[in-house]
Amino acid sequence: KGMVMKLLDGTNPMGKVPSFLTVTRDEGPAPHATNLSTQQVMGAIWNVVNALEYTHIRGVCHGDVYLHNVLRDGKGVARLSDWGASFVYDHTLVEVASSIEKIEVLAFGRLVQDLFSWNLNVAVPDSTELGSYLNAKSGSKTMSLIASILQKEQSKRPTFREIKETLATIPEFESFSAVAGNTVT
């Protein structure tokens, strides 16, 4: 088995490769991914969650979900790249598949945190600080979703399908879900 992908030409990474100081996070935004609008950030989030939902349903884990592995083209489409750490798992083994996916859900949450912080000047706290933060932001469906993604208890994190379904109900994402449907980017 193998994976064949479209050659991505004219794209730029959205993040800088992590350093030893930021080992679990990108070093910062790449030059072509600074000052993105809310719509551009939401589009990137939608594109990445779409790709991750598609692969996990098929039992493929990316294994390296960082913004430096998300390439954005001139039209603003973000594509998940660098599948060198990816692996196939038996998605019929429900408990194992769920654990693998929900580890990657946390990595996706970190990616969302960085996009919000770097471009929208919105600090999304880590899971240990989310309770008081969410009380201050009550009613925010987006922040509630991010809280569920970042929560410490792995078994309570949503799947990529659940994340995508929730995003589709949030006004900032409705246009992407209506246009993109189930297109994988």
Side-chain angles (χ1 to χ4, degrees):
K1 292 185 176 183
M3 184 185 300
V4 178
M5 298 182 65
K6 178 181 176 181
L7 176 63
L8 299 178
D9 194 26
T11 59
N12 295 293
M14 294 187 73
K16 295 178 186 174
V17 177
S19 68
F20 284 111
L21 295 174
T22 65
V23 87
T24 62
R25 301 297 278 271
D26 280 318
E27 184 73 24
H32 295 283
T34 58
N35 301 314
L36 299 178
S37 69
T38 300
Q39 186 169 359
Q40 291 169 320
V41 168
M42 300 309 172
I45 291 168
W46 180 262
N47 293 152
V48 172
V49 80
N50 217 14
L52 291 169
E53 178 211 22
Y54 181 87
T55 58
H56 277 277
I57 287 171
R58 288 154 179 81
V60 177
C61 181
H62 183 271
D64 200 14
V65 177
Y66 287 89
L67 283 168
H68 70 270
N69 289 330
V70 177
L71 303 178
R72 194 166 168 271
D73 67 20
K75 296 178 184 174
V77 177
R79 300 186 191 282
L80 198 52
S81 68
D82 189 358
W83 292 81
S86 67
F87 59 92
V88 176
Y89 61 93
D90 186 348
H91 64 282
T92 64
L93 299 174
V94 177
E95 198 171 309
V96 172
S98 177
S99 292
I100 291 169
E101 181 174 7
K102 290 180 179 189
I103 289 169
E104 195 138 279
V105 163
L106 180 59
F108 171 74
R110 301 289 185 223
L111 179 149
V112 171
Q113 278 181 309
D114 288 343
L115 279 172
F116 272 52
S117 174
W118 299 342
N119 294 286
L120 305 179
N121 201 26
V122 174
V124 178
D126 285 330
S127 60
T128 55
E129 304 161 358
L130 279 170
S132 59
Y133 181 78
L134 284 174
N135 288 337
K137 296 269 187 186
S138 61
S140 171
K141 210 171 189 180
T142 303
M143 288 303 166
S144 294
L145 176 61
I146 294 170
S148 69
I149 291 168
L150 293 174
Q151 78 168 274
K152 288 171 118 178
E153 198 169 329
Q154 181 177 315
S155 65
K156 292 184 178 179
R157 291 182 199 136
T159 64
F160 286 113
R161 173 168 280 169
E162 292 166 334
I163 294 168
K164 185 176 164 185
E165 289 171 354
T166 302
L167 289 175
T169 68
I170 298 171
E172 292 86 359
F173 290 93
E174 286 176 351
S175 63
F176 298 108
S177 62
V179 172
N182 290 323
T183 305
V184 175
T185 55

